[in-house]
């Protein structure tokens, strides 16, 4: 694997060089597109966890509250119809009470948070395109691969059949310096893959299949190799949609068990969803499940699915908050991070199922009611508990003008002991409810 890594990464660099080919394109004026999102939201919750135990030093109280600003602009530049240059950044999540716009020192605790998310080029030559640079890479289910990473991909679009080959790296700091002399390909995460899509019914029913391969040597002398095959179907019409995907993880994790034993990896994940539209009402159902490990951590087998932290669930605390991710959702808290938060590994497994009702009350007012429940698949890895919790949310959007809304959300979480087993430091049996709200403005353009 190490023999091919320099060659594959060399291809990534070639994709960004300034080689010039003349394919007889007509001269056209460059075009620029600007899109983005800007949100300013107030969040309050009655507690940070389910434990009502008052800390000995409790001057700060137990409630959670903040006003946050988040700005995500993206720019697309097309010098010619065959070349696309893309940049996306994120200013935030910044807390008004913490992050200081007057702070000039970038290492200060109150410096404004900024992320350079994507910067890539795409070159189109007939039915083939080459995309290179930092980009969002996702598998069709989102459960395994849903990351911002440096990658090179080559795609082929033959109308009903589409294919894409990928090679990329997730970042890490294991023996990685600023100077090129302090970098190599020894302790890196190399991700490759091939994905295929075929329209069984044009514009309605699509078959997706493929496989990703991961060689992760970021932990010294504990390399992880994974093959991740997947398959699924997606169906969509004007008033109905459905999706079903399944994934496997097969591989080995060297020297990772007790006394340095190797662990075989065999894990799975699945997701399904159905949606129907009846006039102004939209009904949605979604579920996903992640496999669990056995009761003995560190033996010769690892069955917990390495999970991206992304999914199609609209819940705001059981899973990622779609209004604005605050990195405190329970599915991630219940799974320990692997590879600097690249993946999450929940030995108890997890399944979240939800129902949503979304309706347009008037042309300028809409509401969404969400209900979701979470359970673990291996109670023996969650202190003998299976029930993770129930969540219900009401999200109301008031359109002020085109592309600008006032948003209000109410939230109630009734946790179970399976979730408490992973989130508490004192009493793992406390299951006090969490309730709260969000309010603010949202602009999409």
């Amino acid at each position: 694997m190490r023999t091919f890594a320099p060659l594959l990464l060399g291809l990534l660099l070639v994709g960004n060089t300034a080689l010039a080919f003349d394919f007889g394109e007509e001269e056209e004026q460059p075009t620029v597109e600007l899109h983005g999102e800007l949100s300013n939201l107030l969040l309050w919750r009655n507690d940070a966890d389910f434990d009502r135990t008052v800390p000995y030093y409790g001057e700060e109280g137990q409630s959670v509250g903040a006003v946050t600003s988040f700005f995500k602009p993206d720019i697309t530049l097309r010098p010619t119809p065959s070349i696309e240059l893309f940049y996306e950044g994120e200013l935030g999540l910044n807390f008004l009470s913490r992050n200081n716009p007057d702070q000039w020192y970038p290492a200060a605790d109150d410096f404004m948070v900024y992320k350079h998310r994507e910067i890539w080029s795409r070159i189109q030559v007939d039915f083939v395109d080459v995309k290179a640079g930092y980009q969002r890479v996702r598998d069709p289910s989102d459960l395994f691969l849903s990351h911002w990473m440096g990658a090179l991909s080559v795609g082929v679009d033959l109308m009903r059949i589409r294919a894409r080959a990928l090679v990329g790296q997730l970042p890490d700091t294991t023996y990685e310096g600023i100077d090129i002399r302090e970098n190599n390909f020894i302790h890196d995460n190399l991700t490759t893959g091939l994905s295929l899509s075929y329209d069984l019914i044009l514009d309605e029913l699509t078959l997706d299949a493929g496989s990703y391969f991961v060689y992760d040597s970021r932990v010294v002398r504990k390399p992880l190799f994974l093959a991740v095959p997947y398959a699924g179907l997606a169906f969509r019409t004007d008033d109905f949609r459905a999706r079903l995907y399944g994934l496997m993880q097969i591989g080995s994790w060297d020297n990772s068990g007790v006394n340095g034993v190797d662990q075989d990896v065999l894990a799975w994940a699945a997701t399904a969803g159905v949606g129907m539209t009846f006039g102004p009402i939209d009904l949605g159902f979604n579920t996903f499940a992640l496999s669990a490990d056995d009761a003995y951590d560190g033996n010769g087998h690892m069955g917990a699915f390495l999970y991206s932290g992304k999914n199609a669930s609209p819940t705001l605390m059981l899973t990622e908050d779609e209004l604005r991710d605050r990195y405190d959702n329970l599915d991630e808290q219940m799974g320990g991070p692997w590879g600097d938060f690249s993946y999450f590994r929940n030995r108890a497994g997890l399944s979240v199922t939800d129902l949503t009702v979304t309706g347009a009350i008037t042309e300028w007012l809409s509401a969404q009611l969400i209900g979701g429940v979470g359970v673990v698949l291996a109670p023996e890895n969650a202190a003998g508990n299976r029930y993770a919790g129930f969540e219900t949310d009401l999200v109301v959007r008031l359109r002020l003008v085109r592309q600008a809304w006032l948003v209000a959300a109410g939230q109630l979480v009734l946790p179970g002991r399976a979730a408490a087993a992973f989130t508490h430091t004192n009493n793992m049996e406390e299951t006090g409810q969490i309730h709260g709200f969000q309010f603010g403005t949202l602009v999409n353009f």
Side-chain angles (χ1 to χ4, degrees), residues 104 333 370:
W104 60 270
Q333 290 190 57
I370 303 167

Side-chain angles (χ1 to χ4, degrees), residues 359-406:
I361 301 172
T362 68
E363 291 185 358
W364 44 268
L365 182 64
S366 65
Q368 182 181 49
L369 180 63
I370 303 167
V373 64
V375 297
V376 302
L377 278 61
E380 60 271 23
N381 293 332
N385 303 294
R386 184 178 295 275
Y387 175 57
F390 170 79
E391 174 181 350
T392 183
D393 311 292
L394 177 62
V395 182
V396 178
R397 290 177 171 86
L398 173 65
R399 190 174 69 177
L400 301 175
V401 294
R402 186 167 175 246
Q403 299 177 318
W405 292 264
L406 276 179

